[in-house]
Structures are given as C-alpha cells and as structure tokens.
Amino acid sequence: MPADPPSRPLAAPVEPVEPVVPKPVVPEPVVPKPVVPEPVEPGTRAQSRGRPWARLAAVLAVAPVLRLAVARYAVPPGAPDRTACPTCGTPLALDRPWPALGPAARCPACRSRVGAPPGTVEVAVLAALAVLVSAGGTPGEWAALAWWLGWAVPLVFVDAAVHRLPDRLTWPAAVGVQVLLGVAALAAAGPAPWLRAAAAGVGLALCFAATTLVLGRRGFGLGDAKLALGVGALLGWYGWPVLVLGVLVTFTLSALTSLALLLARRVRWSSHLPFGPFLVLGAVVSLLLVR
C-alpha cells in the first residue's frame, strides 16, 4: 500500500494588528515675557519734545536784530543811518523800544510803523530756517549758508524799500562766506572747491560792476556787484553749472516779475526794480535744486 502523504502543519492563527492612531500634539502655551520699560531719567522726554520749540525760539530771537538792521539802513542813499523813530524821534535799540523791533513793528510812543512791515521779517527768518534744514551739507557749508542768509534777509528788505544795498551788510556777508568756505575746505573738501568759489564770486561781481561802468544807471549798481560776490562764492563752491543755473534762475524770476507788474500797470518800462531780492532768491532756489 502506498504510504499516506505527510500531513501539512496547520498555520498559526494571525492575531489582528491594532491600527496606530497618532496622538494629537498639544502645543505648549507660550507665556509672553513681561516687557520692562527702560528707566527714563526725569525730564528727558519733555526735553526731547520741547527741543524743536527751543530751536524755533532761538531762531526767532534773531528777528529783532534783523529788524534793527532794516530800520537803520533802509534810508535813501546819502542819508545818515536811522537811529530813532522817523516820526517822534524815539531812540531805536535792542533794549528799547521792544514793540518797534517785534512783529508789530510799531513805535510805542507814536504808534507809527518802523522799518519792515509787521510780521515779514519773522516769516523771512522761518523761511531761512527751512532752507538751512533742506540744504544740509557739511558743518562748514552749513555755517557759510547760515551766515550768508543772516545778512541776506535785511538786504532784501532794505533793497526793496529804498533800492540800496549798504556796504555794512554786503561786505560782511561776502567776506564771511569766503572765510567759512575756507574752513570747510581745510576740514575735508580740499582747496579746489574754495578756489573755484573765490573765482566764481569775483567773476560774478566783476560782471555786475562792468554793467555799471558801461551802462551807467541803466546797469546794475555796485551794491548788486558786492552782493554777487557772496552769491557767486556760494554757488561756485558746488560747481560752475550751479553758478550758471543760479544766474539763469535769477534773471528768469526778475523777467517774470517785471512782466507781471507791467501787465498789472504797477510799473512802467522806464521803472527800475531792485535786483537784490531776485539775486538772493535765485541763489536759494538753485542751492535747493542741486542739494
């Protein structure tokens, strides 16, 4: 008989595998750390907030000095400098009378107007401050511009009032600009910009003076030439193109103003307009355009 086939071993029962369920990850709560403010010294925040007002007050404190310069030198050519109220003779000085040298510009004795119109010098001082903030530059350049603006403000008012640019205002403005630009050259810029500024100032002044010698009263006055000495130095410091731009802007502003006054019948073709305010404004606009 054939042998029986070997019996196969029975397979072991397979145990069911439990599915692995991932445990949810619970983020740990983040506890914010308390922010401890840094200790502030008493009065520091108040000082930082009041600093712009302090600067503004310091700038406006210059206005009485400029008003005194306008009142003193805004006299016809050949007349002595004004030292008192033209109506009642009250003396004019920085310590007296204050209303005459303040924004009201009125003599305290007779209430007549003294010097520049009320509020105009203060507005011009604020405009000069805005120009200084916008221009920037090195400390030497900033000081030269600030010095020149301090003399240019009364020069504009005096020339607009009596068509006169006194030497006591034009010469200090020009010499101070040259000296301060020389300090800037020694500090960092080198001699080249200062030499160019000196040549530009002298060259522009000679051009204005030449019109006086050739055309007489129809040309520019010698006061304009002395004012151009400082203007040319300021513009020439930044390059010859800036000087040319300043001259173009100056004559453009003068031509447009003259045309507007002619159309309004405020002046005639034979009228002579003061050129000093246009020269100052042209220099300021040019400096703001190139900075």
Side-chain angles (χ1 to χ4, degrees), residues 36 38 41 51 59 63 68 70 93 109 119 137 156 204 246 274 278 280:
V36 180
E38 297 181 359
E41 297 181 2
R51 192 173 299 170
V59 171
L68 179 62
V70 174
V156 167
L204 189 62
F278 299 108
V280 171

Side-chain angles (χ1 to χ4, degrees), residues 16-240:
V17 179
E18 296 181 359
V20 179
V21 180
K23 296 181 180 180
V25 179
V26 180
E28 297 181 0
V30 179
V31 181
K33 297 181 180 180
V35 179
V36 180
E38 297 181 359
V40 180
E41 297 181 2
T44 303
R45 184 174 299 178
Q47 291 177 2
S48 62
R49 290 181 179 179
R51 192 173 299 170
W53 295 104
R55 293 177 180 176
L56 182 61
V59 171
L60 290 178
V62 184
V65 180
L66 303 183
R67 278 197 169 274
L68 179 62
V70 174
R72 179 159 296 176
Y73 298 118
V75 294
D81 297 339
R82 183 182 293 117
T83 58
C85 173
T87 303
C88 65
T90 302
L92 292 176
L94 289 176
D95 56 342
R96 66 184 191 282
W98 170 253
L101 301 179
R106 296 285 179 180
C107 176
C110 63
R111 303 302 300 171
S112 61
R113 199 187 84 182
V114 179
T120 53
V121 174
E122 289 72 20
V123 173
V125 170
L126 293 177
L129 176 61
V131 171
L132 288 174
V133 172
S134 303
T138 64
E141 295 171 353
W142 190 90
L145 180 58
W147 173 269
W148 180 76
L149 287 173
W151 297 94
V153 169
L155 280 169
V156 167
F157 285 99
V158 172
D159 197 19
V162 295
H163 293 199
R164 175 174 175 254
L165 294 171
D167 293 345
R168 293 186 179 182
L169 298 179
T170 53
W171 280 118
V175 174
V177 166
Q178 292 285 358
V179 171
L180 291 172
L181 288 180
V183 173
L186 292 175
W194 185 81
L195 293 175
R196 184 176 59 242
V202 173
L204 189 62
L206 290 177
C207 290
F208 277 80
T211 63
T212 304
L213 298 177
V214 175
L215 302 177
R217 298 187 61 182
R218 297 180 59 185
F220 298 104
L222 293 179
D224 296 322
K226 297 166 189 174
L227 177 60
L229 190 62
V231 172
L234 276 177
L235 298 179
W237 172 269
Y238 299 101
W240 297 109

